[in-house]
Amino acid sequence: MTTATPDQRIKTAQDHDVNAEAVELYLRRLQSQLCNSLAALDTGPGFRTDQVEHASGRGITAVLEKGEVFDRGGVNFSSVHGDCLPAAASERHPELAGFPFRAMGVSLVLHPKNPYVPTAHANVRFFTAEQEGKKPVWWFGGGLDLTPCYPFQEDCQHWHRECHNACAPFGKELYTRFKRWCDSYFYLPHRKETRGVGGLFFDDLVLESFDTSFAFLRSVGDCFSEAYVPLVKKRRDTPWGEREKSFQRYRRGRYVEFNLVYDRGTLFGLQTGGRTESILMSMPPEAHWRYDWHPEPGTPEADLYENYLQPRIWLPEES
């Protein structure tokens, strides 16, 4: 099974009816399931949940702060609409610029307390855009990526194995394609390094039908807990000190740089008039920058730069 060309995507999207209500129901359930699995890891105060209403849509923001495991974590559901597709989306769809749209999704970011537990991100989303006199055009997007400060090869392989398993029922080439897209998307050109060790990234996804495309989205969304929770359980009790915490804050600075400069999701949220507190919940509570800093050779910090911040093959299935 392969993804379609731009013209084929539009035709497929117009030939198949969509069930936006089923997508929204799934996304709401996914948010609840993710919050439950993450709260079970943390004995802190739990998630604060806010119902969000604004002129362009609605949502539910769930934020965990100052926990025993996570310094900050957020799992957001949003559904927005507008009369004109924003620049962050119409750049990839110039034929739809100026048309009404609807977008919904779940996004999460987790900033652990222990520097040996990796930061993680995931989102799944659905777009529809109206064209005068035609059926709506629709597509799915999403992905997940892992950002360790002190990486372990077996953890990265486990993460990518779960990503591969999520893609496998839909075509053997999808993991390789979306893994490489993730490597290129979560890249900081001004630093010449990837944000982390990648995972999956896809956009403009229209497979052979709406049902198949929606099933793929669910597979990706549902794989996050299997990919991430075992890593938290394995590393959360690893001893750490101020050296590791200071390096974690420094690496969080890279996270901030990417989210504010390059991330299309952040730009889309701000361009659609979304709630700023919800959009920027992805920022870490503390981040540091150092002038012209480089890790000392032979240190664990140097290992991250030398062996993990450039694209690499994690599984034999990637050709």
Side-chain angles (χ1 to χ4, degrees):
M1 186 180 299
T2 58
T3 51
T5 66
D7 289 343
Q8 290 170 335
R9 284 199 303 268
I10 291 175
K11 184 179 187 304
T12 301
Q14 291 173 334
D15 287 347
H16 291 263
D17 292 330
V18 304
N19 190 342
E21 289 71 24
V23 177
E24 179 168 342
L25 180 62
Y26 166 71
L27 292 173
R28 287 177 174 271
R29 287 177 176 171
L30 177 64
Q31 183 193 32
S32 178
Q33 291 166 358
L34 289 169
C35 286
N36 289 339
S37 65
L38 294 170
L41 295 171
D42 200 303
T43 58
F47 280 93
R48 167 186 168 177
T49 301
D50 293 327
Q51 299 286 334
V52 178
E53 299 281 346
H54 51 80
S56 60
R58 65 188 187 282
I60 304 171
T61 298
V63 176
L64 175 69
E65 290 188 302
K66 300 179 181 179
E68 294 299 317
V69 173
F70 299 107
D71 283 338
R72 174 176 293 163
V75 186
N76 289 352
F77 164 79
S78 66
S79 176
V80 298
H81 56 82
D83 296 329
C84 182
L85 196 67
S90 61
E91 180 181 355
R92 297 182 61 84
H93 296 276
E95 75 282 0
L96 300 177
F99 287 99
F101 75 95
R102 181 182 180 187
M104 62 183 75
V106 167
S107 62
L108 70 87
V109 176
L110 299 164
H111 295 288
K113 180 183 295 293
N114 189 322
Y116 288 95
V117 178
T119 294
H121 154 265
N123 78 82
V124 286
R125 54 190 181 274
F126 176 61
F127 280 81
T128 61
E130 304 286 342
Q131 287 183 302
E132 188 174 353
K134 299 180 181 179
K135 286 186 177 180
V137 175
W138 56 266
W139 66 94
F140 291 94
L144 59 161
D145 74 295
L146 193 72
T147 310
C149 294
Y150 293 94
F152 298 85
Q153 180 160 311
E154 63 268 30
D155 292 1
C156 300
Q157 290 172 329
H158 165 81
W159 175 264
H160 279 274
R161 174 60 59 192
E162 294 300 329
C163 290
H164 171 271
N165 292 346
C167 296
F170 303 89
K172 63 181 181 180
E173 81 285 356
L174 290 186
Y175 166 74
T176 296
R177 179 175 181 176
F178 295 153
K179 183 266 184 188
R180 292 178 180 175
W181 198 349
C182 185
D183 288 338
S184 62
Y185 180 76
F186 291 105
Y187 184 78
L188 288 81
H190 64 286
R191 299 289 189 180
K192 295 182 173 58
E193 63 188 45
T194 55
R195 187 168 81 170
V197 299
L200 300 173
F201 180 86
F202 60 96
D203 205 355
D204 309 314
L205 180 77
V206 176
L207 298 176
E208 61 189 27
S209 69
F210 172 82
D211 289 342
T212 302
S213 305
F214 183 26
F216 179 79
L217 184 87
R218 297 197 302 272
S219 186
V220 172
D222 293 344
C223 89
F224 178 83
S225 293
E226 292 297 323
Y228 187 62
V229 169
L231 304 184
V232 177
K233 291 180 177 179
K234 184 187 294 186
R235 306 298 175 190
R236 63 186 175 186
D237 296 324
T238 303
W240 56 275
E242 181 54 34
R243 170 179 173 155
E244 290 87 354
K245 194 66 178 179
S246 179
F247 183 61
Q248 182 193 57
R249 295 186 188 107
Y250 177 73
R251 290 302 306 169
R252 284 174 173 178
R254 298 291 205 268
Y255 212 90
V256 172
E257 290 175 19
F258 181 88
N259 279 23
L260 294 183
V261 177
Y262 299 111
D263 187 65
R264 291 205 304 268
T266 302
L267 295 175
F268 180 85
L270 296 173
Q271 290 169 359
T272 56
R275 181 174 179 253
T276 302
E277 290 298 315
S278 299
I279 297 165
L280 296 183
M281 67 86 189
S282 62
M283 296 298 114
E286 294 180 336
H288 288 176
W289 283 261
R290 304 175 190 173
Y291 178 72
D292 198 27
W293 181 84
H294 302 278
E296 295 182 12
T299 62
E301 293 79 12
D303 181 48
L304 173 70
Y305 284 85
E306 294 168 2
N307 297 308
Y308 292 91
L309 296 185
Q310 296 297 327
R312 58 181 282 188
I313 293 175
W314 294 103
L315 303 177
E317 289 84 349
E318 184 181 357
S319 57

